[in-house]
């Protein structure tokens, strides 16, 4: 199975949200990694036929997804960033309702609902009203509904929103186990969501993919550019703004810094092993304000 994006573009009035993106995806897990506003959600909505591209097209094994119509949508499972639900539904009734919308047989829908509520640790809450759920529980229910039709293409937009660290780890393990014979696209701005489970990382910025590769391939591109050093606070204030400070930790009067720089940032600096987070922060450093916030 091969999912192809050919020069996909989406323009809203004067803003180009996705700019001539071309990419070919086969079975595996793909992490779409980028800051908020990078164009990830718009791209995923085009893949799922929720919005129409300004130009370009999506193909599955050489066939246009528009021409395939319902046959293409039958292969899709989608969790949007803003997951809508009816608070009066119980978890089980909501799943059966979505199954009916997807045209699944009632007997299969009941069986599949039971399996997926177990998979997402919601079995004991199947008869509870969704309005009583925590944010994490609602998000797990959203993941469950995306899997109802056993999709070949699973698209998850910010799927760990609202999950605590334990739930995030469970989610990563679950997705890894589900990825056989599927194309899984996981969009996030949180590096740890994809660092250990994605087969490939696609770094998206200003509507385009700026880097694409495995974690090791990507981190190799900044080998020799990551440093650790100790500095006084005034040294940090005077540091060249082109130097990306990944992390700072106060130790007494001094600060322990981790920075990304093409040149040695200060005499005391020693080289460190690069990580995906180092690369990500370097790529989006210009979009942070002077206080290190997005």
């Amino acid at each position: 199975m091969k999912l192809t994006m050919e020069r996909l573009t989406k323009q809203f009035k004067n803003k180009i949200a996705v700019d001539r993106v071309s990419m070919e995806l086969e079975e595996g897990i793909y992490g779409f990694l980028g800051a908020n506003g990078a164009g990830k959600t718009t791209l995923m909505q085009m893949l799922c036929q929720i919005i129409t591209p300004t130009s370009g097209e999506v193909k599955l094994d050489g066939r246009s997804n528009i021409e395939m119509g319902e046959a293409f949508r039958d292969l899709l499972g989608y969790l949007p960033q803003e997951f809508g639900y009816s608070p009066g539904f119980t978890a089980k009734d909501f799943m059966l309702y979505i199954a009916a919308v997807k045209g699944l047989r009632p007997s299969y829908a009941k069986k599949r609902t039971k399996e997926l509520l177990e998979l997402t640790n919601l079995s004991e809450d199947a008869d509870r009203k969704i309005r009583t759920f925590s944010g994490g529980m609602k998000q797990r229910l959203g993941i469950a509904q995306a899997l109802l039709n056993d999709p070949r293409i699973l698209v998850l937009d910010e799927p760990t929103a609202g999950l605590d660290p334990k739930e995030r780890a469970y989610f990563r393990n679950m997705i890894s186990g589900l990825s056989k014979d599927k194309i899984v696209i996981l969009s996030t701005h949180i590096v740890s969501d994809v660092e250990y489970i994605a087969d490939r990382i696609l770094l998206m910025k200003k509507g385009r993919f700026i880097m694409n590769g495995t974690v090791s391939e990507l981190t190799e591109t900044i080998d020799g550019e990551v440093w650790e050093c100790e500095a006084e606070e005034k040294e940090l204030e005077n540091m060249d703004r082109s130097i990306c400070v990944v992390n700072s930790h106060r130790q007494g009067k001094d600060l322990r810094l981790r920075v990304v720089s093409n040149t040695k940032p200060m005499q005391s600096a020693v080289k460190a092993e690069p990580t995906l987070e180092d690369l990500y922060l370097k790529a989006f450093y210009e979009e942070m304000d002077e206080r290190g916030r997005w």
Side-chain angles (χ1 to χ4, degrees):
M1 184 170 59
K2 190 176 293 184
L3 183 67
T4 308
M5 296 169 255
E6 294 185 355
R7 296 180 66 81
L8 270 184
T9 299
K10 185 63 182 180
Q11 183 167 349
F12 298 101
K13 295 185 179 179
N14 297 324
K15 176 178 172 58
I16 298 176
V18 175
D19 189 9
R20 294 165 292 174
V21 166
S22 295
M23 189 58 60
E24 201 171 83
L25 310 179
E26 297 182 337
E27 281 91 346
I29 302 177
Y30 296 85
F32 285 12
L33 189 58
N36 293 328
K40 304 185 304 296
T41 293
T42 301
L43 179 58
M44 298 177 99
Q45 288 178 339
M46 286 192 288
L47 288 175
C48 294
Q49 298 183 327
I50 294 166
I51 60 176
T52 303
T54 303
S55 61
E57 62 181 333
V58 177
K59 292 182 177 179
L60 182 65
D61 293 333
R63 296 180 62 197
S64 164
N65 69 335
I66 302 297
E67 292 176 6
M68 291 179 67
E70 195 66 35
F72 181 80
R73 289 188 289 274
D74 286 345
L75 299 173
L76 280 174
Y78 177 50
L79 174 63
Q81 188 173 6
E82 298 295 333
F83 169 53
Y85 62 91
S86 176
F89 272 128
T90 65
K92 182 172 70 177
D93 288 344
F94 175 74
M95 290 285 284
L96 293 174
Y97 167 73
I98 296 297
V101 171
K102 292 186 176 185
L104 303 180
R105 296 191 317 273
S107 58
Y108 175 81
K110 288 178 182 179
K111 176 176 175 290
R112 189 72 176 147
T113 292
K114 186 173 185 296
E115 291 171 352
L116 290 172
L117 291 178
E118 286 176 2
L119 180 69
T120 53
N121 281 343
L122 289 171
S123 287
E124 294 182 4
D125 303 290
D127 295 316
R128 275 180 60 185
K129 300 284 189 182
I130 299 174
R131 62 169 169 259
T132 68
F133 280 15
S134 68
M137 292 169 72
K138 290 173 186 173
Q139 199 68 1
R140 281 186 275 141
L141 183 61
I143 293 166
Q145 65 80 30
L147 293 167
L148 266 168
N149 57 328
D150 193 17
R152 297 289 307 282
I153 303 169
L154 181 60
V155 180
L156 305 170
D157 194 359
E158 299 285 355
T160 62
L163 302 187
D164 62 30
K166 182 180 177 182
E167 288 176 319
R168 294 179 105 92
Y170 179 82
F171 164 79
R172 290 194 295 267
N173 292 334
M174 180 178 68
I175 295 303
S176 183
L178 290 169
S179 63
K180 185 180 178 183
D181 301 326
K182 295 184 193 298
I183 295 173
V184 180
I185 301 171
L186 196 163
S187 165
T188 185
H189 63 279
I190 301 169
V191 174
S192 61
D193 281 352
V194 292
E195 187 169 14
Y196 300 110
I197 66 168
D199 298 300
R200 296 192 75 80
I201 304 290
L202 292 89
L203 211 62
M204 194 168 190
K205 183 177 182 179
K206 295 179 180 177
R208 291 185 174 183
F209 288 131
I210 59 170
M211 299 188 82
N212 166 27
T214 64
V215 172
S216 60
E217 287 170 348
L218 294 180
T219 53
E220 277 177 13
T221 65
I222 56 167
D223 191 25
E225 296 181 26
V226 182
W227 308 83
E228 291 184 347
C229 50
E230 289 186 2
E232 295 180 3
E233 195 150 355
K234 62 181 179 180
E235 290 179 286
L236 177 60
E237 292 172 358
N238 295 328
M239 191 174 286
D240 190 332
R241 284 292 297 162
S242 66
I243 295 174
C244 172
V245 179
V246 174
N247 191 30
S248 63
H249 177 67
R250 185 172 296 281
Q251 292 182 327
K253 294 182 179 179
D254 294 334
L255 296 169
R256 183 75 180 173
L257 305 178
R258 183 180 180 91
V259 304
V260 182
S261 172
N262 293 325
T263 58
K264 193 172 184 176
M266 57 182 61
Q267 195 60 37
S268 64
V270 295
K271 288 183 179 178
E273 194 74 21
T275 67
L276 186 61
E277 183 176 47
D278 295 328
L279 176 73
Y280 176 80
L281 291 175
K282 179 190 177 186
F284 293 97
Y285 182 61
E286 66 188 50
E287 297 175 20
M288 295 172 65
D289 65 19
E290 68 277 1
R291 297 168 72 178
R293 301 175 304 188
W294 297 106

